[in-house]
Amino acid sequence: MKNRVILWFRRDLRLADNPALRAALDGDFDSIVPVFIHAPDELGDWAEGGAQRVWLHDSLRALAEDLETLGSRLIIRQGPTLDTLNTLIEESGAGAVYWNRLYDPPIIERDKQVKKALNEREDVDVDSFQAHVLFEPWQIETQQGQPYKVFTPFWKRIKGEPIRAPLARPDQLPAVWSCIGSLDVPDLGLLPEIRWDEKIRDCWTPGESGAQQRLETFLEDAADNYDDERDYPAIAGTSYLSPHLHWGEISPQQIMHRTEEWLDEYEGPAPREHIESFQSEIGWRDFAHHVLYHFPNTPDEPLDTRFKSFPWSDDTEALNAWQAGRTGIPMVDAGMRELWATGYMHNRVRMTVASFLTKNLRIAWQHGERWFWDTLVDADLANNTLGWQWAAGSGADAAPFFRIFNPARQGERFDAKGSYVRRWVPELSDMPNRHIHKPWDAPAEVLKKASIELGKDYPKPIVDLKASRREALEAFDQIKNES
């Protein structure tokens, strides 16, 4: 066999704890050819959204720089994937192709075809590895041999299992032949022509080193109060690791082991309950991939089939107002504007805006799912699907449909001083705390003092919260007894 291997990078844009890379190094190949192939057409409806493409651009640049520091370089090509791999095999004389597995339905189907075709060649060894989740989706099942649909028993099942230790980052890599050509990252056309992405790029540091720094910042500043502060969007109380996890700039194994190390290093009584709460969020991510793998139609169809006949509204004007952060509901508008500006939204607010869309506006969850897919830097198909079906009451471990978040009360509870709303809805900056989450209830003199005329300076609510809640429950009554 030819003693060269192609290392196919996908959403595993890191050098530490990269099982495919480690296998290539342990295989004692003379040369490793790292390649990233951009083939969005192969992903169908789930090709990268706009915010993801911005992140990918910067992450690829970071990976290329990291490879160069180790003596290698990143080969960038455009698809189709199979044709590109076959071409690279001929150009490099490679006798093996290695990659790390992913679990999105279109990627699984594509990878099966690639693996089958390459295995039919007598001169190429093909192998794939686990790098994206703690446990393979097919490894975990109920006592009845079925996939889990509820998170709590899933988490109890996996949290006692040993998690493999992270793999070390290599100190050096063999050089790549200079005759193997590559595109430059800008050649992929990932950045928008109209540059709306500056604010997103100001907020984040894509790449492996950025992921590690983000984890250490969380451990230093927020981990010991995580359970107390995670629900308050004006506080930096969460890890902000989700986009780094999505692109594989850090692995869940690295996070789980580093948090345990941090507990051992902690001076004073270790805040284990806070770390275990955070670790359960890593478990939720595994659960999302578990559900997507076993129920691959859920990005488009409700897991609870009753919701196929739910009387959704087709109010395009309301959908547009929600997308633009112009609903007249301050907590909702703040979240939607944060999303547009930064490519991110706090999880408490994600639940709030999703409940408002699917229940108060009664607009189908797929519309929200699609908007998030295009605007979130961490738009992961598994997490995005599970989250939206959870909010709509139609998915795995879903909140009951009758659990309808009141966005004004959510604001009063989790943004009592209005700091989050004032940041993202500056026209309400001078509203007093008492009225900032319900300006429609504020006395005329309060609105005048704050220089607010509803319907002019800030929208009137596009829907009555109490009436729309009642109408949503009446709509659910039409389907709740269906089988």
Side-chain angles (χ1 to χ4, degrees), residues 218-237:
F218 167 67
L219 293 174
E220 180 178 348
D221 296 343
D224 54 359
N225 286 308
Y226 177 75
D227 229 16
D228 296 332
E229 297 184 344
R230 57 181 292 196
D231 280 322
Y232 297 89
I235 298 173

Side-chain angles (χ1 to χ4, degrees), residues 73 75 77 91-92 176-182:
R73 65 189 175 98
I75 304 301
R77 298 286 176 92
E91 291 180 7
S92 65
V176 179
W177 285 0
S178 60
C179 62
I180 300 177
S182 173

Side-chain angles (χ1 to χ4, degrees), residues 151-160:
F151 172 67
T152 298
F154 175 86
W155 177 234
K156 288 181 179 178
R157 168 71 175 80
I158 70 170
K159 74 175 183 178

Side-chain angles (χ1 to χ4, degrees), residues 260-329:
E260 289 295 328
E261 290 175 355
W262 180 81
L263 280 174
D264 292 339
E265 299 164 356
Y266 194 81
E267 296 181 2
R272 175 161 290 279
E273 69 277 10
H274 294 284
I275 289 300
E276 288 184 351
S277 178
F278 172 67
Q279 289 175 339
S280 74
E281 295 301 317
I282 306 301
W284 177 264
R285 176 180 178 273
D286 249 50
F287 179 61
H289 284 82
H290 176 90
V291 172
L292 180 62
Y293 177 82
H294 289 287
F295 304 99
N297 293 329
T298 51
D300 301 299
E301 300 177 7
L303 186 61
D304 184 340
T305 57
R306 294 178 300 171
F307 280 84
K308 289 184 178 181
S309 57
F310 187 85
W312 297 111
S313 169
D314 191 23
D315 189 338
T316 302
E317 186 176 343
L319 176 62
N320 291 339
W322 177 84
Q323 292 171 338
R326 299 286 297 171
T327 67
I329 310 295

